[in-house]
Amino acid sequence: LDPVGVPKNLKGTAIPFNAYIQEACTFKTILSIGGGGGVTCGDFCPRDIEMFGLGIPVIKPRYVAELADPLIPDVHYISVDVEFDAQYRYANHEKLSQAIAKRHLEVVQNSNMLDTVAANAREWYTRNLVEPNITLNLIKALEL
């Protein structure tokens, strides 16, 4: 590993953003675990936003972050229960990976649930992050 934690054999192999989006659109669900270490590494991940905007259901550990317009488990994303240690890092990676796999298998063939979660996430994205809503929400939050 190099100093930032990227395996040396993967350096320079990033795919272009358009190819990333095209590939993401081929999946029924997308896994998002933020920085991978728990809340301290990023509870709310840019991948979440990208997938909400595309209308692709995200499966992830239950959010800890609270937002002005809440993201509701199993409404806006497919939630996986997780245990945290005292620093809000994932307490048991093996248990978490098993819980993610189990949850995926529970929902992957449930087209109605996947479609509903995807539509709800897309609606949340539009309401909060599409112009002019993002600007209006910021003005409101700042009481300008």
Side-chain angles (χ1 to χ4, degrees):
L1 295 178
D2 72 7
V4 294
V6 176
K8 291 180 182 180
N9 62 335
L10 295 181
K11 283 283 193 189
T13 61
I15 62 173
F17 185 74
N18 288 347
Y20 158 71
I21 294 298
Q22 287 174 336
E23 184 173 340
C25 289
T26 68
F27 295 99
K28 287 186 174 187
T29 65
I30 296 289
L31 175 62
S32 180
I33 55 172
V39 178
T40 57
C41 295
D43 187 34
F44 196 60
C45 177
R47 181 180 306 108
D48 303 348
I49 300 296
E50 294 161 356
M51 298 306 118
F52 290 174
L54 292 170
I56 300 170
V58 172
I59 185 168
K60 67 176 287 101
R62 184 178 303 264
Y63 281 114
V64 175
E66 294 181 15
L67 304 173
D69 186 358
L71 288 166
I72 303 166
D74 298 324
V75 172
H76 297 106
Y77 66 101
I78 300 162
S79 179
V80 176
D81 289 329
V82 63
E83 295 175 15
F84 295 103
D85 66 14
Q87 288 79 37
Y88 276 93
R89 295 177 303 218
Y90 299 138
N92 185 324
H93 289 94
E94 183 65 29
K95 194 173 177 181
L96 176 59
S97 66
Q98 291 170 359
I100 289 168
K102 180 179 183 241
R103 188 72 175 123
H104 175 76
L105 291 174
E106 291 170 358
V107 302
V108 71
Q109 298 304 325
N110 187 339
S111 296
N112 288 337
M113 180 188 189
L114 296 178
D115 291 346
T116 300
V117 167
N120 291 338
R122 177 78 171 116
E123 182 181 314
W124 185 94
Y125 172 87
T126 301
R127 191 170 57 245
N128 289 284
L129 299 171
V130 172
E131 193 60 51
N133 297 344
I134 190 170
T135 302
L136 296 173
N137 290 336
L138 182 59
I139 290 169
K140 182 179 175 184
L142 296 175
E143 299 178 355
L144 298 176

